[in-house]
Amino acid sequence: MINEIIKNTIRFFVLILLQVLIVQNIRLGSYIILFPYILFILLLPFETPKLAVLLLAFITGLSIDMFYDTAGIHAAACTLIGFSRFYVLKLLAPREGYDLGLTPTIDSMGTLWFVMYAASLIFIHHLFLFYLEIFRFNEFFRTLFRVILSTIGTFIFVYVIQFLFYKSSQHK
């Protein structure tokens, strides 16, 4: 348990620093914005209590808001995916349930499961974040296009991180 807390704390700081120091400065046009910091929320262990997930999601978003000077929109979007995570996990749960001690990675749950899990939560995050940021519907389709492209970009980034840092236990 202590090992898992230390691992998640390190993951939190690494992903926040990656977002703030590196990814924030990557320009892929005005339509593709990458937010790999939400991987922290996605990779919380299955048995993490709902209240803890909400609190950690809020703290994660608030940390990004402090660096981006965005007045709480990241905190709101992260809290929403922290809330939605429970329902997405319930929807995607295997018949026998989730094993204790596992984290939702490609290695532990499989590629198809991870694609459905991560893509849906990333889409929810981006949809809420971008529409809250623009706060009007006169650019509805332009914002939706931005949501879709940013979701794809963030998902690809998160997927690559999975292969770089979460080696398969079969190859050890």
Side-chain angles (χ1 to χ4, degrees), residues 130-145:
F130 290 134
Y131 279 107
L132 191 60
E133 178 184 54
I134 199 151
F135 209 67
R136 61 181 179 267
F137 285 113
N138 63 343
E139 295 182 26
F140 180 83
F141 291 108
R142 183 173 180 219
T143 305
L144 184 62
F145 188 59

mmCIF file with all atom_site columns, all heavy atoms in Angstrom, residues 130-145:
data_model
loop_
_atom_site.group_PDB
_atom_site.id
_atom_site.type_symbol
_atom_site.label_atom_id
_atom_site.label_alt_id
_atom_site.label_comp_id
_atom_site.label_asym_id
_atom_site.label_entity_id
_atom_site.label_seq_id
_atom_site.pdbx_PDB_ins_code
_atom_site.Cartn_x
_atom_site.Cartn_y
_atom_site.Cartn_z
_atom_site.occupancy
_atom_site.B_iso_or_equiv
_atom_site.pdbx_formal_charge
_atom_site.auth_seq_id
_atom_site.auth_comp_id
_atom_site.auth_asym_id
_atom_site.auth_atom_id
_atom_site.pdbx_PDB_model_num
ATOM 1   N N   . PHE A 1 130 ? -13.253 22.227 -22.965 1.00 0.00 ? 130 PHE A N   1
ATOM 2   C CA  . PHE A 1 130 ? -13.282 23.182 -24.071 1.00 0.00 ? 130 PHE A CA  1
ATOM 3   C C   . PHE A 1 130 ? -14.581 23.981 -24.128 1.00 0.00 ? 130 PHE A C   1
ATOM 4   O O   . PHE A 1 130 ? -14.566 25.162 -24.454 1.00 0.00 ? 130 PHE A O   1
ATOM 5   C CB  . PHE A 1 130 ? -13.022 22.489 -25.401 1.00 0.00 ? 130 PHE A CB  1
ATOM 6   C CG  . PHE A 1 130 ? -11.595 22.017 -25.549 1.00 0.00 ? 130 PHE A CG  1
ATOM 7   C CD1 . PHE A 1 130 ? -11.313 20.748 -26.014 1.00 0.00 ? 130 PHE A CD1 1
ATOM 8   C CD2 . PHE A 1 130 ? -10.536 22.839 -25.217 1.00 0.00 ? 130 PHE A CD2 1
ATOM 9   C CE1 . PHE A 1 130 ? -10.011 20.313 -26.150 1.00 0.00 ? 130 PHE A CE1 1
ATOM 10  C CE2 . PHE A 1 130 ? -9.223  22.415 -25.344 1.00 0.00 ? 130 PHE A CE2 1
ATOM 11  C CZ  . PHE A 1 130 ? -8.965  21.145 -25.820 1.00 0.00 ? 130 PHE A CZ  1
ATOM 12  N N   . TYR A 1 131 ? -15.696 23.344 -23.815 1.00 0.00 ? 131 TYR A N   1
ATOM 13  C CA  . TYR A 1 131 ? -16.950 24.113 -23.814 1.00 0.00 ? 131 TYR A CA  1
ATOM 14  C C   . TYR A 1 131 ? -17.038 25.034 -22.604 1.00 0.00 ? 131 TYR A C   1
ATOM 15  O O   . TYR A 1 131 ? -17.626 26.110 -22.687 1.00 0.00 ? 131 TYR A O   1
ATOM 16  C CB  . TYR A 1 131 ? -18.170 23.191 -23.908 1.00 0.00 ? 131 TYR A CB  1
ATOM 17  C CG  . TYR A 1 131 ? -18.433 22.758 -25.317 1.00 0.00 ? 131 TYR A CG  1
ATOM 18  C CD1 . TYR A 1 131 ? -18.169 21.471 -25.732 1.00 0.00 ? 131 TYR A CD1 1
ATOM 19  C CD2 . TYR A 1 131 ? -18.924 23.660 -26.259 1.00 0.00 ? 131 TYR A CD2 1
ATOM 20  C CE1 . TYR A 1 131 ? -18.387 21.081 -27.049 1.00 0.00 ? 131 TYR A CE1 1
ATOM 21  C CE2 . TYR A 1 131 ? -19.142 23.290 -27.573 1.00 0.00 ? 131 TYR A CE2 1
ATOM 22  C CZ  . TYR A 1 131 ? -18.867 22.001 -27.959 1.00 0.00 ? 131 TYR A CZ  1
ATOM 23  O OH  . TYR A 1 131 ? -19.079 21.625 -29.260 1.00 0.00 ? 131 TYR A OH  1
ATOM 24  N N   . LEU A 1 132 ? -16.452 24.649 -21.494 1.00 0.00 ? 132 LEU A N   1
ATOM 25  C CA  . LEU A 1 132 ? -16.395 25.548 -20.340 1.00 0.00 ? 132 LEU A CA  1
ATOM 26  C C   . LEU A 1 132 ? -15.460 26.713 -20.629 1.00 0.00 ? 132 LEU A C   1
ATOM 27  O O   . LEU A 1 132 ? -15.731 27.856 -20.236 1.00 0.00 ? 132 LEU A O   1
ATOM 28  C CB  . LEU A 1 132 ? -15.935 24.776 -19.096 1.00 0.00 ? 132 LEU A CB  1
ATOM 29  C CG  . LEU A 1 132 ? -16.067 25.468 -17.762 1.00 0.00 ? 132 LEU A CG  1
ATOM 30  C CD1 . LEU A 1 132 ? -17.526 25.807 -17.480 1.00 0.00 ? 132 LEU A CD1 1
ATOM 31  C CD2 . LEU A 1 132 ? -15.525 24.572 -16.655 1.00 0.00 ? 132 LEU A CD2 1
ATOM 32  N N   . GLU A 1 133 ? -14.383 26.438 -21.333 1.00 0.00 ? 133 GLU A N   1
ATOM 33  C CA  . GLU A 1 133 ? -13.419 27.478 -21.682 1.00 0.00 ? 133 GLU A CA  1
ATOM 34  C C   . GLU A 1 133 ? -14.033 28.511 -22.631 1.00 0.00 ? 133 GLU A C   1
ATOM 35  O O   . GLU A 1 133 ? -13.879 29.711 -22.441 1.00 0.00 ? 133 GLU A O   1
ATOM 36  C CB  . GLU A 1 133 ? -12.201 26.829 -22.346 1.00 0.00 ? 133 GLU A CB  1
ATOM 37  C CG  . GLU A 1 133 ? -11.142 27.791 -22.811 1.00 0.00 ? 133 GLU A CG  1
ATOM 38  C CD  . GLU A 1 133 ? -10.019 27.084 -23.536 1.00 0.00 ? 133 GLU A CD  1
ATOM 39  O OE1 . GLU A 1 133 ? -10.302 26.347 -24.506 1.00 0.00 ? 133 GLU A OE1 1
ATOM 40  O OE2 . GLU A 1 133 ? -8.874  27.257 -23.108 1.00 0.00 ? 133 GLU A OE2 1
ATOM 41  N N   . ILE A 1 134 ? -14.744 28.060 -23.637 1.00 0.00 ? 134 ILE A N   1
ATOM 42  C CA  . ILE A 1 134 ? -15.320 28.986 -24.617 1.00 0.00 ? 134 ILE A CA  1
ATOM 43  C C   . ILE A 1 134 ? -16.616 29.600 -24.097 1.00 0.00 ? 134 ILE A C   1
ATOM 44  O O   . ILE A 1 134 ? -16.925 30.741 -24.388 1.00 0.00 ? 134 ILE A O   1
ATOM 45  C CB  . ILE A 1 134 ? -15.508 28.313 -25.986 1.00 0.00 ? 134 ILE A CB  1
ATOM 46  C CG1 . ILE A 1 134 ? -15.638 29.381 -27.033 1.00 0.00 ? 134 ILE A CG1 1
ATOM 47  C CG2 . ILE A 1 134 ? -16.664 27.368 -26.022 1.00 0.00 ? 134 ILE A CG2 1
ATOM 48  C CD1 . ILE A 1 134 ? -15.153 28.987 -28.376 1.00 0.00 ? 134 ILE A CD1 1
ATOM 49  N N   . PHE A 1 135 ? -17.395 28.852 -23.365 1.00 0.00 ? 135 PHE A N   1
ATOM 50  C CA  . PHE A 1 135 ? -18.612 29.272 -22.666 1.00 0.00 ? 135 PHE A CA  1
ATOM 51  C C   . PHE A 1 135 ? -19.646 29.954 -23.564 1.00 0.00 ? 135 PHE A C   1
ATOM 52  O O   . PHE A 1 135 ? -20.300 30.915 -23.181 1.00 0.00 ? 135 PHE A O   1
ATOM 53  C CB  . PHE A 1 135 ? -18.265 30.169 -21.477 1.00 0.00 ? 135 PHE A CB  1
ATOM 54  C CG  . PHE A 1 135 ? -19.264 30.080 -20.364 1.00 0.00 ? 135 PHE A CG  1
ATOM 55  C CD1 . PHE A 1 135 ? -19.400 28.912 -19.647 1.00 0.00 ? 135 PHE A CD1 1
ATOM 56  C CD2 . PHE A 1 135 ? -20.083 31.145 -20.041 1.00 0.00 ? 135 PHE A CD2 1
ATOM 57  C CE1 . PHE A 1 135 ? -20.313 28.810 -18.618 1.00 0.00 ? 135 PHE A CE1 1
ATOM 58  C CE2 . PHE A 1 135 ? -21.006 31.052 -19.018 1.00 0.00 ? 135 PHE A CE2 1
ATOM 59  C CZ  . PHE A 1 135 ? -21.123 29.885 -18.308 1.00 0.00 ? 135 PHE A CZ  1
ATOM 60  N N   . ARG A 1 136 ? -19.750 29.460 -24.781 1.00 0.00 ? 136 ARG A N   1
ATOM 61  C CA  . ARG A 1 136 ? -20.809 29.906 -25.689 1.00 0.00 ? 136 ARG A CA  1
ATOM 62  C C   . ARG A 1 136 ? -20.989 28.838 -26.758 1.00 0.00 ? 136 ARG A C   1
ATOM 63  O O   . ARG A 1 136 ? -20.100 28.044 -27.011 1.00 0.00 ? 136 ARG A O   1
ATOM 64  C CB  . ARG A 1 136 ? -20.504 31.262 -26.300 1.00 0.00 ? 136 ARG A CB  1
ATOM 65  C CG  . ARG A 1 136 ? -19.270 31.316 -27.130 1.00 0.00 ? 136 ARG A CG  1
ATOM 66  C CD  . ARG A 1 136 ? -19.042 32.741 -27.674 1.00 0.00 ? 136 ARG A CD  1
ATOM 67  N NE  . ARG A 1 136 ? -17.833 32.780 -28.455 1.00 0.00 ? 136 ARG A NE  1
ATOM 68  C CZ  . ARG A 1 136 ? -16.649 33.104 -27.983 1.00 0.00 ? 136 ARG A CZ  1
ATOM 69  N NH1 . ARG A 1 136 ? -16.511 33.437 -26.721 1.00 0.00 ? 136 ARG A NH1 1
ATOM 70  N NH2 . ARG A 1 136 ? -15.597 33.101 -28.767 1.00 0.00 ? 136 ARG A NH2 1
ATOM 71  N N   . PHE A 1 137 ? -22.144 28.859 -27.391 1.00 0.00 ? 137 PHE A N   1
ATOM 72  C CA  . PHE A 1 137 ? -22.450 27.832 -28.370 1.00 0.00 ? 137 PHE A CA  1
ATOM 73  C C   . PHE A 1 137 ? -22.414 28.339 -29.814 1.00 0.00 ? 137 PHE A C   1
ATOM 74  O O   . PHE A 1 137 ? -22.711 27.583 -30.724 1.00 0.00 ? 137 PHE A O   1
ATOM 75  C CB  . PHE A 1 137 ? -23.822 27.212 -28.082 1.00 0.00 ? 137 PHE A CB  1
ATOM 76  C CG  . PHE A 1 137 ? -23.800 26.286 -26.905 1.00 0.00 ? 137 PHE A CG  1
ATOM 77  C CD1 . PHE A 1 137 ? -24.492 26.606 -25.750 1.00 0.00 ? 137 PHE A CD1 1
ATOM 78  C CD2 . PHE A 1 137 ? -23.091 25.104 -26.941 1.00 0.00 ? 137 PHE A CD2 1
ATOM 79  C CE1 . PHE A 1 137 ? -24.478 25.759 -24.660 1.00 0.00 ? 137 PHE A CE1 1
ATOM 80  C CE2 . PHE A 1 137 ? -23.060 24.242 -25.860 1.00 0.00 ? 137 PHE A CE2 1
ATOM 81  C CZ  . PHE A 1 137 ? -23.758 24.566 -24.716 1.00 0.00 ? 137 PHE A CZ  1
ATOM 82  N N   . ASN A 1 138 ? -22.033 29.578 -30.027 1.00 0.00 ? 138 ASN A N   1
ATOM 83  C CA  . ASN A 1 138 ? -22.003 30.051 -31.409 1.00 0.00 ? 138 ASN A CA  1
ATOM 84  C C   . ASN A 1 138 ? -20.839 29.452 -32.197 1.00 0.00 ? 138 ASN A C   1
ATOM 85  O O   . ASN A 1 138 ? -20.812 29.533 -33.411 1.00 0.00 ? 138 ASN A O   1
ATOM 86  C CB  . ASN A 1 138 ? -21.995 31.583 -31.491 1.00 0.00 ? 138 ASN A CB  1
ATOM 87  C CG  . ASN A 1 138 ? -20.765 32.194 -30.880 1.00 0.00 ? 138 ASN A CG  1
ATOM 88  O OD1 . ASN A 1 138 ? -20.047 31.558 -30.129 1.00 0.00 ? 138 ASN A OD1 1
ATOM 89  N ND2 . ASN A 1 138 ? -20.537 33.465 -31.200 1.00 0.00 ? 138 ASN A ND2 1
ATOM 90  N N   . GLU A 1 139 ? -19.887 28.859 -31.522 1.00 0.00 ? 139 GLU A N   1
ATOM 91  C CA  . GLU A 1 139 ? -18.781 28.143 -32.173 1.00 0.00 ? 139 GLU A CA  1
ATOM 92  C C   . GLU A 1 139 ? -18.851 26.657 -31.815 1.00 0.00 ? 139 GLU A C   1
ATOM 93  O O   . GLU A 1 139 ? -17.841 26.009 -31.604 1.00 0.00 ? 139 GLU A O   1
ATOM 94  C CB  . GLU A 1 139 ? -17.452 28.735 -31.750 1.00 0.00 ? 139 GLU A CB  1
ATOM 95  C CG  . GLU A 1 139 ? -17.244 30.159 -32.195 1.00 0.00 ? 139 GLU A CG  1
ATOM 96  C CD  . GLU A 1 139 ? -15.889 30.709 -31.791 1.00 0.00 ? 139 GLU A CD  1
ATOM 97  O OE1 . GLU A 1 139 ? -14.956 29.908 -31.614 1.00 0.00 ? 139 GLU A OE1 1
ATOM 98  O OE2 . GLU A 1 139 ? -15.780 31.927 -31.644 1.00 0.00 ? 139 GLU A OE2 1
ATOM 99  N N   . PHE A 1 140 ? -20.067 26.121 -31.790 1.00 0.00 ? 140 PHE A N   1
ATOM 100 C CA  . PHE A 1 140 ? -20.298 24.754 -31.349 1.00 0.00 ? 140 PHE A CA  1
ATOM 101 C C   . PHE A 1 140 ? -19.493 23.728 -32.146 1.00 0.00 ? 140 PHE A C   1
ATOM 102 O O   . PHE A 1 140 ? -18.778 22.907 -31.581 1.00 0.00 ? 140 PHE A O   1
ATOM 103 C CB  . PHE A 1 140 ? -21.795 24.415 -31.420 1.00 0.00 ? 140 PHE A CB  1
ATOM 104 C CG  . PHE A 1 140 ? -22.114 23.019 -30.987 1.00 0.00 ? 140 PHE A CG  1
ATOM 105 C CD1 . PHE A 1 140 ? -22.252 22.712 -29.650 1.00 0.00 ? 140 PHE A CD1 1
ATOM 106 C CD2 . PHE A 1 140 ? -22.258 21.998 -31.924 1.00 0.00 ? 140 PHE A CD2 1
ATOM 107 C CE1 . PHE A 1 140 ? -22.533 21.430 -29.233 1.00 0.00 ? 140 PHE A CE1 1
ATOM 108 C CE2 . PHE A 1 140 ? -22.542 20.700 -31.520 1.00 0.00 ? 140 PHE A CE2 1
ATOM 109 C CZ  . PHE A 1 140 ? -22.681 20.417 -30.175 1.00 0.00 ? 140 PHE A CZ  1
ATOM 110 N N   . PHE A 1 141 ? -19.595 23.770 -33.472 1.00 0.00 ? 141 PHE A N   1
ATOM 111 C CA  . PHE A 1 141 ? -18.950 22.755 -34.299 1.00 0.00 ? 141 PHE A CA  1
ATOM 112 C C   . PHE A 1 141 ? -17.439 22.925 -34.344 1.00 0.00 ? 141 PHE A C   1
ATOM 113 O O   . PHE A 1 141 ? -16.702 21.943 -34.401 1.00 0.00 ? 141 PHE A O   1
ATOM 114 C CB  . PHE A 1 141 ? -19.553 22.747 -35.707 1.00 0.00 ? 141 PHE A CB  1
ATOM 115 C CG  . PHE A 1 141 ? -20.962 22.238 -35.705 1.00 0.00 ? 141 PHE A CG  1
ATOM 116 C CD1 . PHE A 1 141 ? -22.016 23.109 -35.903 1.00 0.00 ? 141 PHE A CD1 1
ATOM 117 C CD2 . PHE A 1 141 ? -21.239 20.904 -35.456 1.00 0.00 ? 141 PHE A CD2 1
ATOM 118 C CE1 . PHE A 1 141 ? -23.327 22.651 -35.874 1.00 0.00 ? 141 PHE A CE1 1
ATOM 119 C CE2 . PHE A 1 141 ? -22.538 20.432 -35.422 1.00 0.00 ? 141 PHE A CE2 1
ATOM 120 C CZ  . PHE A 1 141 ? -23.587 21.301 -35.627 1.00 0.00 ? 141 PHE A CZ  1
ATOM 121 N N   . ARG A 1 142 ? -16.981 24.151 -34.297 1.00 0.00 ? 142 ARG A N   1
ATOM 122 C CA  . ARG A 1 142 ? -15.535 24.395 -34.250 1.00 0.00 ? 142 ARG A CA  1
ATOM 123 C C   . ARG A 1 142 ? -14.947 23.847 -32.943 1.00 0.00 ? 142 ARG A C   1
ATOM 124 O O   . ARG A 1 142 ? -13.899 23.212 -32.943 1.00 0.00 ? 142 ARG A O   1
ATOM 125 C CB  . ARG A 1 142 ? -15.279 25.898 -34.367 1.00 0.00 ? 142 ARG A CB  1
ATOM 126 C CG  . ARG A 1 142 ? -13.833 26.242 -34.412 1.00 0.00 ? 142 ARG A CG  1
ATOM 127 C CD  . ARG A 1 142 ? -13.636 27.715 -34.701 1.00 0.00 ? 142 ARG A CD  1
ATOM 128 N NE  . ARG A 1 142 ? -12.217 27.989 -34.721 1.00 0.00 ? 142 ARG A NE  1
ATOM 129 C CZ  . ARG A 1 142 ? -11.686 29.073 -34.224 1.00 0.00 ? 142 ARG A CZ  1
ATOM 130 N NH1 . ARG A 1 142 ? -12.448 30.007 -33.713 1.00 0.00 ? 142 ARG A NH1 1
ATOM 131 N NH2 . ARG A 1 142 ? -10.401 29.253 -34.264 1.00 0.00 ? 142 ARG A NH2 1
ATOM 132 N N   . THR A 1 143 ? -15.654 24.070 -31.859 1.00 0.00 ? 143 THR A N   1
ATOM 133 C CA  . THR A 1 143 ? -15.207 23.560 -30.568 1.00 0.00 ? 143 THR A CA  1
ATOM 134 C C   . THR A 1 143 ? -15.295 22.040 -30.529 1.00 0.00 ? 143 THR A C   1
ATOM 135 O O   . THR A 1 143 ? -14.401 21.373 -29.999 1.00 0.00 ? 143 THR A O   1
ATOM 136 C CB  . THR A 1 143 ? -16.022 24.190 -29.426 1.00 0.00 ? 143 THR A CB  1
ATOM 137 O OG1 . THR A 1 143 ? -15.942 25.614 -29.521 1.00 0.00 ? 143 THR A OG1 1
ATOM 138 C CG2 . THR A 1 143 ? -15.507 23.756 -28.070 1.00 0.00 ? 143 THR A CG2 1
ATOM 139 N N   . LEU A 1 144 ? -16.343 21.475 -31.102 1.00 0.00 ? 144 LEU A N   1
ATOM 140 C CA  . LEU A 1 144 ? -16.474 20.022 -31.158 1.00 0.00 ? 144 LEU A CA  1
ATOM 141 C C   . LEU A 1 144 ? -15.336 19.403 -31.964 1.00 0.00 ? 144 LEU A C   1
ATOM 142 O O   . LEU A 1 144 ? -14.777 18.366 -31.569 1.00 0.00 ? 144 LEU A O   1
ATOM 143 C CB  . LEU A 1 144 ? -17.823 19.621 -31.748 1.00 0.00 ? 144 LEU A CB  1
ATOM 144 C CG  . LEU A 1 144 ? -18.130 18.128 -31.768 1.00 0.00 ? 144 LEU A CG  1
ATOM 145 C CD1 . LEU A 1 144 ? -18.171 17.567 -30.345 1.00 0.00 ? 144 LEU A CD1 1
ATOM 146 C CD2 . LEU A 1 144 ? -19.447 17.864 -32.467 1.00 0.00 ? 144 LEU A CD2 1
ATOM 147 N N   . PHE A 1 145 ? -14.969 20.031 -33.078 1.00 0.00 ? 145 PHE A N   1
ATOM 148 C CA  . PHE A 1 145 ? -13.841 19.572 -33.877 1.00 0.00 ? 145 PHE A CA  1
ATOM 149 C C   . PHE A 1 145 ? -12.555 19.615 -33.057 1.00 0.00 ? 145 PHE A C   1
ATOM 150 O O   . PHE A 1 145 ? -11.736 18.699 -33.104 1.00 0.00 ? 145 PHE A O   1
ATOM 151 C CB  . PHE A 1 145 ? -13.735 20.437 -35.140 1.00 0.00 ? 145 PHE A CB  1
ATOM 152 C CG  . PHE A 1 145 ? -12.729 19.954 -36.135 1.00 0.00 ? 145 PHE A CG  1
ATOM 153 C CD1 . PHE A 1 145 ? -12.820 18.687 -36.691 1.00 0.00 ? 145 PHE A CD1 1
ATOM 154 C CD2 . PHE A 1 145 ? -11.689 20.779 -36.542 1.00 0.00 ? 145 PHE A CD2 1
ATOM 155 C CE1 . PHE A 1 145 ? -11.893 18.249 -37.631 1.00 0.00 ? 145 PHE A CE1 1
ATOM 156 C CE2 . PHE A 1 145 ? -10.757 20.347 -37.467 1.00 0.00 ? 145 PHE A CE2 1
ATOM 157 C CZ  . PHE A 1 145 ? -10.862 19.079 -38.015 1.00 0.00 ? 145 PHE A CZ  1
#
